[in-house]
Amino acid sequence: MLYSEDRILTTHAGSLPRPTDLREMVVAKAAGEDYGEAEFQSSLTDAVAGVVAKQAEIGIDSVNDGEFSKINFTNYVRERLGGFEKRNPEDITTYQLDMTARDRVKFQGYFEATPPRYTRSNMGVAVCTGPLTYIGEDQLRADLTNFKAASEAAGVTEAYLPANTPGTIEHWMPNEHYKSDEEFVFAIAEAMRVEYEAIVDAGFLLQIDDPDLPDGWNCLPEMSVKEYQKYAQMRVEALNHGLRNIDPEKVRLHVCWGSFHGPHYDDIALADIIDIIFSVRAMSFSIEASNPCHEHEWNVFETAKLPDGATLIPGVIGHCSDFIEHPDLVAERLIRYAELVGKENVLAGTDCGLGNRVGHESICWAKLESMVEGARRASAKLW
């Protein structure tokens, strides 16, 4: 776990742009199509080495593998969990969550006129039909091996790997086996514990990606804030169950409000969930902080206190626009947080993974370069 002892350190939330040939193989693999296993593994090893080296080259202090082996941060668990079956969407009778549900109340016309950005009709829907188990050891082992070799070759300061949370997996996997939501979510946590612990045992920081914690609110428009807080707290308890054997200093939590391109008009306020966020067994907290819906929430930290010894990673560049944030703006954002929680406790980060959320890979890397320069400018003023 890193602290900004003599300058503001930098990281990011996760996904980075994949090479085109690797992206096509990852999509085909997830869809159950022919993808060429040997070529895939070779391309993946080379791509991870390249993306780790590029992060280090531009000055990112805490780097990852770009999430290159995963179709996205939610659906990769289909390849790593047993106990479900795939069905056609039209055959699903179990209730499914929709992260745009609350926005659709006011902006239905927008969603009818705007096609979904990411579709793959032959992937189907994963439905839990039996006891959940972890079956992804081989893929996880390959990820750990590739990343260890790449991070050692690049001489990085810190290496982290993301993993999904029980609540987020619950969003996209209807349950037909477990007797209650609580039993289901805790079963997911117990299965995913294998991945959580393996990442830490391999010497990496574990980043827990939990968009569910804020965006579950968007999925459930009938809930009041008080009802939702109870809903979210149970899912955090399940997550903590999965993390119970890991030192919190080895865990970073990333939360966002779904990161879909849309209105986000009714996102839940950070102030309403900050205590729940801080109840996760983690010592580093990455939050959206630069987009038009959430940048103003820096003021939450005028009263909300970081857990003792924890760090805060505000997103100082974002995915909602292809505009490149100016380094001086990045510096202003970082200084604002440093003055609230202490400069040594702040790292520069991103609102969410930039990989497929901005218009071109050149935009992604330009944003990250601006973040590094902004952190340098902030450091010059703070130190």
Side-chain angles (χ1 to χ4, degrees), residues 22-218:
L22 180 62
R23 181 172 65 248
E24 291 173 351
M25 286 187 280
V26 168
V27 172
K29 181 173 180 286
E33 300 170 358
D34 182 29
Y35 64 95
E37 172 68 16
E39 182 182 0
F40 170 73
Q41 293 298 341
S42 176
S43 296
L44 180 61
T45 299
D46 291 344
V48 170
V51 79
V52 169
K54 187 162 186 175
Q55 291 171 78
E57 178 184 349
I58 68 172
I60 304 294
D61 296 295
S62 180
V63 311
N64 79 337
D65 65 349
E67 302 186 17
F68 277 4
S69 70
K70 306 166 184 175
I71 185 170
N72 57 44
F73 79 100
T74 54
N75 288 330
Y76 84 94
V77 296
R78 293 174 176 215
E79 300 175 350
R80 303 195 180 190
L81 293 180
F84 69 90
E85 63 182 43
K86 291 183 181 179
R87 296 183 190 164
N88 294 324
E90 58 270 20
D91 296 332
I92 301 297
T93 57
T94 311
Y95 175 67
Q96 287 185 270
L97 297 176
D98 177 1
M99 73 172 70
T100 68
R102 199 173 285 267
D103 269 349
R104 285 179 184 271
V105 175
K106 187 176 180 66
F107 302 104
Q108 183 61 32
Y110 164 83
F111 289 100
E112 290 174 352
T114 306
R117 297 187 66 189
Y118 315 112
T119 60
R120 185 75 179 188
S121 59
N122 56 346
M123 284 182 60
V125 176
V127 180
C128 177
T129 57
L132 291 173
T133 58
Y134 193 84
I135 59 171
E137 287 88 353
D138 289 345
Q139 295 182 70
L140 176 59
R141 189 178 304 110
D143 282 350
L144 298 174
T145 299
N146 285 335
F147 190 39
K148 182 174 287 291
S151 57
E152 289 177 352
V156 300
T157 304
E158 180 178 73
Y160 77 91
L161 280 178
N164 210 341
T165 56
T168 305
I169 295 169
E170 177 199 20
H171 274 192
W172 314 120
M173 184 184 290
N175 168 40
E176 293 184 358
H177 174 73
Y178 292 95
K179 294 179 182 179
S180 67
D181 291 346
E182 184 171 3
E183 185 181 350
F184 180 41
V185 176
F186 272 79
I188 299 172
E190 187 60 27
M192 289 300 293
R193 180 174 64 87
V194 176
E195 182 160 307
Y196 302 159
E197 293 178 2
I199 289 171
V200 173
D201 288 345
F204 302 124
L205 182 73
L206 169 64
Q207 176 172 296
I208 291 293
D209 284 333
D210 198 3
D212 160 69
L213 204 162
D215 79 21
W217 165 260
N218 296 327

Side-chain angles (χ1 to χ4, degrees), residues 211-229:
D212 160 69
L213 204 162
D215 79 21
W217 165 260
N218 296 327
C219 295
L220 300 162
E222 74 283 359
M223 279 193 178
S224 68
V225 170
K226 186 174 182 180
E227 289 169 335
Y228 182 70
Q229 289 168 333

